[in-house]
Amino acid sequence: MTAAPRILGPLRTVQRPSGPIRDDFRMIVDLIEPGTRVLDVGCEDGRLLELLVEAKGVDGRGIELSMAGVHTAVSHGLSVIQGDADTDLNDYPSAAFDYVVLSQTIQATRDPRGVLDNLVRIGRRAIVSLPNFGYWRIRMQLLLNGRMPRTWQLGHEWWETPNIHLCTLTDFEDLCTRLGIVIETRRILGRGGARRTPLMPNLLAEQAVYLLSRR
Amino acid sequence: MSPDPSTVPSEPLLDAVPAPPATQRVMIGAASPMPLDGGDALGPFTLAYRTYGRLSPDRSNAVLVCHALTGDQYVADHHPVTGKPGWWDTMVGPGRPIDTERYFVVCANVIGGCMGSTGPADADPRTGNPFGLSFPVITVGDMVRAQALLLDHLGIDQLFAVIGGSMGGMQVLQWAVAYPERVFCAIPIATASRHSAQNIAFHEVGRQAIMADPDWRGGAYLLEGTRPVRGLAVARMAAHITYLSEPALHRKFGRNLQDRARLSFGFDADFQVESYLRHQGSAFVDRFDANSYLYITRAMDYFDLAGEHGGHLANAFRHGPKGTPVRFCLVSFTSDWLFPTSESRTIVHALNAVAANVSFVEIESDKGHDAFLLHEPAFWKVIRGFLDGCAEHRGLPPRAAE
């Protein structure tokens, strides 16, 4: 297995990938108990939902902002609505799902705090994966080039990026503490998806997956 | 590589496929009249319907198609009056998204209609004369109640799916709210949970056009041997504009002149769009009853699911302690200004509030409200995919290999 391709493409694609499963998806699937009720917020074309339905037999739902993603997902028989994490999560009743998943999306929301609050309200547990802006390569790009960093995960120019609320793992964990959210599990992914022991994660992790619940 | 012949599904034997029957009819409410939302009761009355495909032995593959304001039961075969193909033959038929090789499709003419189901043009058994305005005012709820009695007659406890656009979509919503345990999945298309003030206003224009026609005779035109064809045609012309969009009209007609090189400086149909609308109006009066038009538009105006549930639409979808068990797929079209996407979104929000299983897709189209009846492959793909997913959950046999 080679490392994930280091392309400077967009983070969010709507083409259903036939290639390898995203590393954070594997971890999310691992964290979810079989037969549960799952809401995937920002589900793109429904790839993760499909994995969850196949591997864990979940009752899966999705919300996706892009119409192209919604079309693909619904045409594949998944329950997905066109909607916006920033506004539409308010509609859902509390504890309606066993898990609410937000994969690689929190940095693109207008109000990450409100979204995070909603995730642990709607779900008994929330699973959040996010890119770590404290990753050493990102720090080096800014330090040495004096330019906004771009990685395979965060490939946009600063003026077109949907990622308006990037944070480091320390920043994210700090927000969880402020909101009274318990980090039950944290899984760290190093360069190209390699799993790391959590040694200096804020420096060495390229991304992380959190299992969260309300205190 | 050629397929193994033993695994190829054999062609159905010709003698096993009965010739499509003419419109079926059933008499309902003979034992006891059906109560109506308006307080009256109706019965006995006739429902005219068509079926396509075959009901599976466990009766689990029935799909009810609900027609729109001026539609009828001829979904997928030629219309007996106009000779035109079925109004949704792109959606319903062998190999279509609602595949009649797989599903047993039922479509009934609504009560109040004029294609065989009891309506104001039929004889009032008390007098022997056409009902006219003595026909009771009916609602979408009444239409659906009558359809439920039809399903009882057909021995269908639970529909696999109920689908329809516009007023058909209202019936779909009503089905899911009134009979949640009888619907596995619901597909309301280009519709709303209540008729908006603007839409009531358009309907009122149509009704006033009919009633202003001297041949309407206070609704008793059948007794007096007249027909308010001018009023009904104007009603249809006005309504038809609301089914289209400005870009669609412009693409089709622009300011092109009709069979002439220059303006006539008179009131002939100079423009193609005028000629088109006049044609729409005059063709419509051949197949539709003016009083039916009054009654059915009124039923749409009265539709208000939230209003019937304490002003909270979400309450309509509560079912015991949990949300509705029905799986929903809502579809809207970008250029539909009669039932805009915001109406579908309102329903989605209410369904989310009870954590219902819901999909929602907005289709990019410039064809306006009528898009759901027209060539929209992306729309067909969504419906096919949603139905396939639901069929899997319902445990229906998989689609035959294509």
Side-chain angles (χ1 to χ4, degrees), chain B residues 1-342:
Chain B
M1 190 183 124
S2 63
D4 174 6
S6 65
T7 63
V8 176
S10 59
E11 289 290 315
L13 297 172
L14 278 177
D15 62 358
V17 183
T23 280
Q24 296 112 305
R25 284 165 205 273
V26 59
M27 179 82 84
I28 286 174
S32 61
M34 183 183 80
L36 299 172
D37 287 339
D40 287 336
L42 186 66
F45 64 93
T46 302
L47 268 193
Y49 63 99
R50 287 284 293 116
T51 68
Y52 308 87
R54 281 194 239 186
L55 190 58
S56 60
D58 64 356
R59 297 164 185 265
S60 62
N61 68 335
V63 174
L64 180 70
V65 175
C66 300
H67 70 71
L69 168 57
T70 64
D72 49 45
Q73 65 272 38
Y74 300 99
V75 185
D77 45 13
H78 283 76
H79 195 277
V81 177
T82 65
K84 286 185 174 170
W87 58 267
W88 224 9
D89 73 340
T90 51
M91 180 64 85
V92 179
R96 303 287 196 210
I98 301 171
D99 190 345
T100 50
E101 306 278 342
R102 190 178 195 197
Y103 304 117
F104 177 68
V105 177
V106 182
C107 183
N109 188 210
V110 296
I111 53 167
C114 50
M115 284 305 296
S117 292
T118 299
D122 292 303
D124 183 343
R126 293 166 300 188
T127 63
N129 291 326
F131 275 106
L133 291 195
S134 67
F135 193 76
V137 168
I138 43 135
T139 65
V140 171
D142 296 329
M143 294 173 181
V144 166
R145 199 170 296 120
Q147 289 161 2
L149 292 170
L150 169 63
L151 293 191
D152 292 345
H153 165 77
L154 295 173
I156 297 166
D157 287 335
Q158 193 199 37
L159 289 165
F160 166 63
V162 53
I163 182 170
S166 197
M167 186 184 83
M170 291 177 170
Q171 293 166 66
V172 172
L173 292 170
Q174 179 68 30
W175 258 102
V177 168
Y179 305 101
E181 68 292 338
R182 293 191 77 172
V183 178
F184 187 76
C185 65
I187 310 177
I189 299 159
T191 193
S193 59
R194 51 130 183 71
H195 218 212
S196 68
Q198 177 174 267
N199 288 2
I200 295 169
F202 280 120
H203 275 176
E204 177 60 2
V205 169
R207 285 189 295 262
Q208 288 299 330
I210 290 167
M211 294 191 277
D213 187 327
D215 287 338
W216 181 61
R217 307 285 169 97
Y221 50 88
L222 290 173
L223 263 183
E224 303 195 13
T226 60
R227 287 189 67 215
V229 292
R230 287 166 297 173
L232 181 59
V234 170
R236 176 62 169 178
M237 288 166 76
H240 199 79
I241 299 166
T242 69
Y243 305 151
L244 306 175
S245 69
E246 198 276 333
L249 278 173
H250 182 78
R251 177 162 40 78
K252 217 165 171 177
F253 308 109
R255 289 180 53 82
N256 300 338
L257 301 181
Q258 178 71 26
D259 303 329
R260 65 197 67 195
R262 57 184 64 85
L263 299 175
S264 71
F265 291 90
F267 296 102
D268 271 1
D270 274 0
F271 295 101
Q272 282 180 6
V273 66
E274 293 173 296
S275 168
Y276 169 78
L277 275 184
R278 289 182 186 192
H279 170 75
Q280 288 294 329
S282 62
F284 182 63
V285 300
D286 291 338
R287 68 175 179 90
F288 218 85
D289 175 62
N291 283 338
S292 270
Y293 196 85
L294 301 183
Y295 276 90
I296 299 176
T297 54
R298 204 64 183 146
M300 290 178 75
D301 293 351
Y302 280 179
F303 189 65
D304 180 6
L305 278 181
E308 291 166 15
H309 292 84
H312 296 287
L313 185 57
N315 288 345
F317 299 113
R318 292 190 204 284
H319 185 63
K322 294 173 74 180
T324 172
V326 180
R327 291 163 175 267
F328 284 85
C329 180
L330 288 101
V331 182
S332 67
F333 297 88
T334 49
S335 56
D336 183 350
W337 55 277
L338 197 62
F339 291 91
T341 290
S342 57

Side-chain angles (χ1 to χ4, degrees), chain A residues 76-107:
Chain A
H76 279 77
L78 299 165
S79 300
V80 172
I81 63 165
Q82 198 275 333
D84 185 341
D86 276 305
T87 53
D88 292 349
L89 293 180
N90 293 324
D91 296 333
Y92 289 89
S94 298
F97 293 91
D98 297 305
Y99 299 93
V100 181
V101 177
L102 189 73
S103 63
Q104 306 288 345
T105 299
I106 195 162
Q107 76 282 354

Side-chain angles (χ1 to χ4, degrees), chain A residues 37 61 67 75 79-80 82 91, chain B residues 345 349 356-357 359-360 385:
Chain A
R37 212 171 187 201
R61 322 278 175 79
M67 261 306 163
S75 299
S79 300
V80 172
Q82 198 275 333
D91 296 333
Chain B
R345 215 176 274 285
H349 288 172
N357 193 320
S359 296
F360 164 52

Side-chain angles (χ1 to χ4, degrees), chain A residues 131-214:
Chain A
N132 174 23
F133 210 65
Y135 182 48
W136 69 272
R137 283 176 175 268
I138 290 180
R139 298 192 197 192
M140 292 300 280
Q141 281 192 38
L142 186 59
L143 183 68
L144 298 180
N145 301 341
R147 307 281 298 267
M148 279 301 284
R150 289 174 68 191
T151 68
W152 68 273
Q153 255 195 326
L154 304 171
H156 294 88
E157 293 284 359
W158 66 270
W159 40 265
E160 59 165 8
T161 183
N163 303 315
I164 53 175
H165 280 125
L166 289 158
C167 67
T168 71
L169 298 189
T170 307
D171 289 330
F172 179 75
E173 291 168 18
D174 179 55
L175 177 60
C176 289
T177 308
R178 280 171 184 239
L179 294 176
I181 292 170
V182 181
I183 297 170
E184 295 190 8
T185 305
R186 182 184 69 184
R187 301 265 172 93
I188 300 298
L189 285 161
R191 185 180 171 185
R195 253 189 197 191
R196 294 272 165 147
T197 49
L199 172 74
M200 290 196 290
N202 200 40
L203 188 64
L204 298 180
E206 194 164 33
Q207 51 179 320
V209 179
Y210 290 89
L211 180 67
L212 309 170
S213 62
R214 174 84 76 192

